[in-house]
Structures are given as structure tokens and as C-alpha cells.
Amino acid sequence: MAANPRDRANTSPWSSDVFRQNRVVHRAAVIVAVAIALAGPAIFATVGYVDALNLRRFQADITAGQVARYAYIQGPTWGFSDNRVAELVRQTAPIDDAGRRIIAPFQGGTPIVVGDEPSAPVARVSVPIVAGAERVGTVTVEASLRPLLFEVALAVAVALILAIAAYACVRFPLARLRRVFEGFRESEARFRSLAAVAPMAISILDLHGRVQWANNEMLRRLDVSLDGLKGKSPHDIYAKEIADDIVRLDGLVLARREPQIAELDVGTPDGDARPEIHVRFPIEDEGGNLIGLGSTALDISARRTAEDRLRQALRLQAVGRLSGGVSHDFNNLLQAIETNLALAKLAVQGNAHATGLIDAALQAGRRGADLTMKLLAFSRQQTLRPRRLDINAWLREETALLARTLGGGIAIRAEPCAGAAEVLVDEGSLANALLNLAHNAREAMPAGGAIAVSAQRRRLLPDDDDTLPAGDYVEIAMADTGIGMAREVLSRAFEPFFTTKEVGQGSGLGLSMVYGFARQSGGTATLESAPGKGTTVRILLPAAPPGAAPSTG
């Protein structure tokens, strides 16, 4: 699998560069130490050897000069066997000189040897003996180089000590520096691991608010690479209103050196708005100097949705309690009115006009009674008789009935649950709820369309829904291809008497009754809709446990 280019862009070269330099410095330290250990003794040995040869040449020149003057003075009578020559050579030799001198004739003869033969290795220098203009012989001076070798060995030891010291001076601080950077690398790795899995967008900025680094979540939200994001300011990334708020927060961070928090609705690449909590905070070095800014942005869309759902549930609960109380009182009044109207009708038998008026009043009373029943359903105070119901079989029967009821132009299909699905529910109320939803869907598709009624099993975890306990549920969903609802309409759709229809065309209690029935049955109802994208209503009912017996509600 190819590596994600964002991951490659998001990988800092800091550590690799540091340790590459670390290795270079380490190798340089080794080379310097070896150079000191080898070059020092080699130079000392060379200089010592040259000095030894120069000294022997100087001594040979002195001896040759003395012998040449003696030979010149003696003239033809002098000879190399003359003991006075040997004595002369001894006199010119230094007292502490351990070498020897060999005075040899130029044209053969017995040489004069003064001194003992030196120990190997030997430094040897020969110079001619010139008396007047005639070369009469040579002087050879020999001396042992053992003292020089001792001095060279001593120089090697000193050089090794200096090399070790030089290496230590470089290596030990370098090792400490390496440990520091290893700790930095581990810290950086932990930070990157945390940033990689963090469910929030994280970025590091310079003091001008320009992005220097961002984690994968921020790159995913903005749909850019790190190279494409580096150096950009808030006005290059967000809409002007959001960017102005962020710049204001950054100004407060720089002025107060304290974190600043704000909740912003940030535009997304697809044109929607995403609520985020932005935290901007200062970044300081060890000396307390401000060197940059940090930013985190947490997507709170799920929390905002949950809060909206909770507020809607609480609002509907409050309205339901009010509706339930009013409905009971209103129903009692209607019963009294209907009873008196029935008695009045008996009293005016034979009077057609009065009987017609009373019948109209009775019909209005019955409509009022039907209205109170719907309000009781919304307030979860209607009488329910739940029984065990096989949703798959029931769904096939109901969709066949709805297909005949809705008429032509509307295609309806059933999508039963993949496995067995049973609930404890009042079948009549469930059928009435489905019929209400189908009529709403038909009205949302004046030019015709399609309705899909599906069922599926769902398991809610403790954190999935704030209004329902965790457990097994069966979801019945009706989806249409109608005109859909705007967000402001969607937020109030379950409220009683709320309707977008013309006056007299609807009571605004259809969806309210569905919601109240679902809540009274131990579940809930939710809506999903957008203009031009149709509407989906989901009724969530608790799944019947194995062997459950019918009960009354």
C-alpha cells in the first residue's frame, strides 16, 4: 500500500537531520583523534631523525676540518697510521658522544677508528677530507638512534593520551547531546502518536498566525496537504467572519499569554457549517519567551445534535404534559356537551331545523373528541393494548394495504428485516402511525414518487441515545422522495398543531401522534430531511424479549 502523501508531508525531518549531523560529528572526532595519535609521533620522529643527521654532519665537518689542517701542515710526511691523528679525533669528539668516527684514506690504506661501534639502528654521515685542493680521505660519523626511538615512544604515549583526551572532549558532550535528542525524539514520537489519533484538529503557528505544522485530522477537514497549508493565515483558510474571530483570539493570546476559547460555526468544503470549539494558546520556550501559537479545534456536531434532540425531547415532554391535562378536561366538557345535545335532540323531535342544528353540534363535538384523542396520543396518555407482533409479516401486509390506499403515482415497497424481528406494541396504533406517515409522504410528492418502508434490528449502547436505555430495538423507517423539509421546519415537526399547510388543511397533530405513540411504547421517533432530498421517519421500538407475554398499557 502506498504511503499517504499527507503522512509523508506530516513527518518532521528534524530528528533524522540531527542524528545525521550527530554521526558526522562522531566520525570527525574519531578522525581527529586518530590524526593526533599518528601525525604527532610521525612528525616528532622525522624531526628527530633529521636533527640527528644534522648533528652528525656537523660533527663530521668539524673532524674533517681538523684532520685536513693537520694533513696540510704535515704535508707529504703525514700518514693515516699516525697516532696523533687518532688523538686529534678524540679531542674533537664530545665527551658524552657514544658514536664512533672512521677516518679512511682516499686511495686505500688502513682507516683510523675512534670510539665503539654504536647499537643498531645507526645514523651514519660521511664527509670528505680536503687538504688544500686535494681530497685525501673521508670522515664517517656513526651514532645509535636508540635514544631517539625512546623519545619517539614517549611521544607516541603522549600523543595517545592527547588523542584520547581530544576524543573524550568531543565524544562525551556528543553522547550527552545524543541522549538529549533521543529524549526529544521520543517526546516528539509520543506527541505525533497522540496528535495522529486525536479527534481534533491540531496546528502550530508562528507569531503572525501562519501555519507551521498541522495533524492529519486538520488536513482531512480542510482537504489539503501539509505543504499546501504551511504558511497560510486564517484568512487564507476560513471565511472572513470566522477568520476575523480567530485573529481576534490570537491577538488576545499574544496580549494576555493565556488560552482563549470560542465556539465557531466553520464552513466545510461541501458548503455546510460545522460547529467547532477552538482553543488558541501560547507556546513558550524554556526561558519563557513566546515563540509561537497553538490551536486545537474540536468538532462538536454530534454534541450539538444530541443537545438539540434533548432540548426537543424536553420541549415535547413539557408540551405533552400540558396537552394531556387540557385534553382530559376538554374531553370531560365535550362529553357533557354531547350528552346534553343528545337529550335536546329528543326534546325537539319533529322540529327539523332544530334537529339539524343539534346534529351539526354533535358532529363538531365528535371532531373535538377525535382531536382530544390525538392530543392524548401525543401526551402518551392514550390506552394501548400491546401484543407480540412479527414485524416482517405485519410490514408486508401493511405495505400492501397502503399501496391500495395511496392510489396511483406512488410506488411503495417493503424491505423486511434480514432476520426475525418481534416487538410488543399496540398493532392498531402502529398501523395508524404508519398510515399518517404515508399520507404525509403522499402530500410531499404531488407529482408522484416512491416510498420505502423498511425494518431492521438495532442495538443501542449506553452512549448512543440520551433518551432511551441501552438494549435491543427494532427500527421501522419510512423514506419518501418528496420535497423535504427545511431545517427550521424539521426542528418543530413533532410539535402539536405545528403545520406548514394552509389553514383548514391539517391539524398539525399527525407527526405529534406518531411521536407520542413511539415514546409511550418505550421507543422514540426521529426525522431526517433536507430540501429536495426527501424525508425519512424512523420509529424505534423495543424488541420483544424471548417468551415475552402481552401486556396492557
Side-chain angles (χ1 to χ4, degrees):
M1 179 181 293
N4 189 335
R6 291 181 183 171
D7 294 337
R8 289 199 301 270
N10 213 4
T11 301
S12 171
W14 225 96
S15 297
S16 59
D17 288 346
V18 167
F19 285 101
R20 190 179 301 112
Q21 297 170 4
N22 191 334
R23 289 193 297 271
V24 171
V25 174
H26 178 264
R27 292 171 183 171
V30 173
I31 292 173
V32 170
V34 172
I36 293 175
L38 296 178
I43 294 173
F44 183 82
T46 302
V47 173
Y49 181 70
V50 172
D51 286 345
L53 291 180
N54 289 337
L55 178 61
R56 301 311 164 194
R57 183 175 287 107
F58 176 71
Q59 293 173 349
D61 287 339
I62 293 176
T63 302
Q66 292 289 345
V67 173
R69 283 194 295 272
Y70 178 77
Y72 182 78
I73 294 172
Q74 296 296 321
T77 62
W78 87 288
F80 278 89
S81 61
D82 192 342
N83 290 330
R84 284 176 295 178
V85 174
E87 183 62 28
L88 180 63
V89 174
R90 290 189 185 96
Q91 291 176 358
T92 60
I95 297 175
D96 59 347
D97 181 64
R100 69 173 177 174
R101 287 159 177 76
I102 302 172
I103 301 92
F106 183 69
Q107 295 180 347
T110 304
I112 298 173
V113 180
V114 178
D116 297 328
E117 183 180 0
S119 302
V122 174
R124 181 181 291 105
V125 175
S126 296
V127 298
I129 301 172
V130 180
E134 183 183 0
R135 181 175 178 179
V136 297
T138 60
V139 174
T140 301
V141 178
E142 298 176 342
S144 176
L145 291 176
R146 287 194 176 185
L148 178 61
L149 292 180
F150 175 77
E151 293 175 357
V152 170
L154 182 61
V156 170
V158 172
L160 285 175
I161 293 174
L162 292 177
I164 293 173
Y167 179 77
C169 289
V170 176
R171 183 71 181 91
F172 291 156
L174 191 62
R176 183 177 179 183
L177 182 64
R178 181 170 184 171
R179 287 194 296 270
V180 170
F181 279 110
E182 283 178 349
F184 167 77
R185 184 172 62 177
E186 292 175 359
S187 175
E188 186 184 32
R190 286 193 293 268
F191 166 75
R192 290 187 178 280
S193 298
L194 176 62
V197 301
M200 62 184 67
I202 303 174
S203 60
I204 296 176
L205 313 98
D206 62 16
L207 294 177
H208 300 287
R210 294 187 293 263
V211 176
Q212 303 300 306
W213 177 88
N215 71 338
N216 291 335
E217 175 63 17
M218 184 167 186
L219 300 180
R220 183 193 65 79
R221 290 186 190 178
L222 299 177
D223 194 25
V224 296
S225 65
L226 182 59
D227 290 337
L229 189 61
K230 272 186 178 180
K232 289 191 175 181
S233 68
H235 284 90
D236 298 325
I237 302 172
Y238 303 105
K240 184 180 184 304
E241 297 78 7
I242 303 300
D244 289 343
D245 288 338
I246 292 177
V247 171
R248 179 182 58 81
L249 291 178
D250 289 347
L252 292 175
V253 172
L254 293 174
R256 302 177 182 177
R257 292 200 174 189
E258 296 177 349
Q260 302 295 320
I261 304 174
E263 187 171 322
L264 306 174
D265 289 331
V266 178
T268 61
D270 56 6
D272 293 333
R274 178 179 56 241
E276 294 180 349
I277 291 181
H278 279 243
V279 180
R280 316 288 281 197
F281 55 90
I283 300 177
E284 300 177 348
D285 61 13
E286 294 181 354
N289 301 310
L290 192 62
I291 59 175
L293 298 172
S295 170
T296 63
L298 179 64
D299 185 354
I300 57 170
S301 301
R303 193 186 79 179
R304 180 79 65 83
T305 301
E307 289 176 350
D308 291 343
R309 289 174 59 185
L310 181 59
R311 280 194 294 268
Q312 184 184 29
L314 293 175
R315 183 172 65 249
L316 293 177
Q317 184 178 12
V319 174
R321 290 176 180 174
L322 176 63
S323 301
V326 172
S327 298
H328 279 295
D329 293 340
F330 187 56
N331 194 45
N332 292 336
L333 292 175
L334 286 176
Q335 288 181 357
I337 292 172
E338 288 180 351
T339 300
N340 285 289
L341 286 174
L343 294 175
K345 185 177 180 179
L346 294 175
V348 296
Q349 285 184 354
N351 188 337
H353 179 68
T355 301
L357 294 175
I358 293 174
D359 286 339
L362 286 172
Q363 185 177 2
R366 284 191 289 271
R367 286 199 298 269
D370 183 59
L371 181 63
T372 59
M373 291 301 297
K374 291 181 179 180
L375 284 174
L376 287 173
F378 169 72
S379 62
R380 308 174 220 171
Q381 298 181 28
Q382 64 178 331
T383 301
L384 297 180
R385 295 180 176 81
R387 69 180 185 86
R388 198 178 192 89
L389 185 64
D390 182 349
I391 288 296
N392 285 339
W394 176 85
L395 195 63
R396 284 188 286 267
E397 294 175 0
E398 287 298 317
T399 50
L401 178 62
L402 289 177
R404 294 190 295 271
T405 303
L406 297 178
I410 304 297
I412 184 168
R413 72 178 188 274
E415 299 175 1
C417 186
E422 292 186 337
V423 295
L424 288 177
V425 69
D426 186 303
E427 183 178 0
S429 298
L430 179 60
N432 193 28
L434 199 67
L435 182 61
N436 266 295
L437 296 179
H439 281 295
N440 286 346
R442 182 182 61 184
E443 293 177 359
M445 299 182 292
I451 298 175
V453 185
S454 62
Q456 63 173 335
R457 293 184 65 91
R458 286 185 56 187
R459 168 163 289 185
L460 293 186
L461 299 178
D463 297 332
D464 288 343
D465 196 303
D466 295 333
T467 61
L468 295 178
D472 293 325
Y473 291 81
V474 175
E475 178 186 275
I476 303 170
M478 177 176 287
D480 63 54
T481 58
I483 58 176
M485 303 180 191
R487 180 176 298 179
E488 56 273 13
V489 174
L490 187 65
S491 64
R492 300 185 59 191
F494 284 136
E495 293 182 8
F497 302 114
F498 175 79
T499 181
T500 57
K501 300 175 182 177
E502 298 293 335
V503 176
Q505 294 185 3
S507 64
L509 288 172
L511 287 176
S512 304
M513 185 185 66
V514 173
Y515 178 81
F517 157 72
R519 295 295 291 157
Q520 188 175 358
S521 300
T524 190
T526 59
L527 274 172
E528 299 171 8
S529 186
K533 297 182 179 180
T535 301
T536 299
V537 184
R538 303 181 189 276
I539 301 175
L540 202 63
L541 300 173
S551 60
T552 57

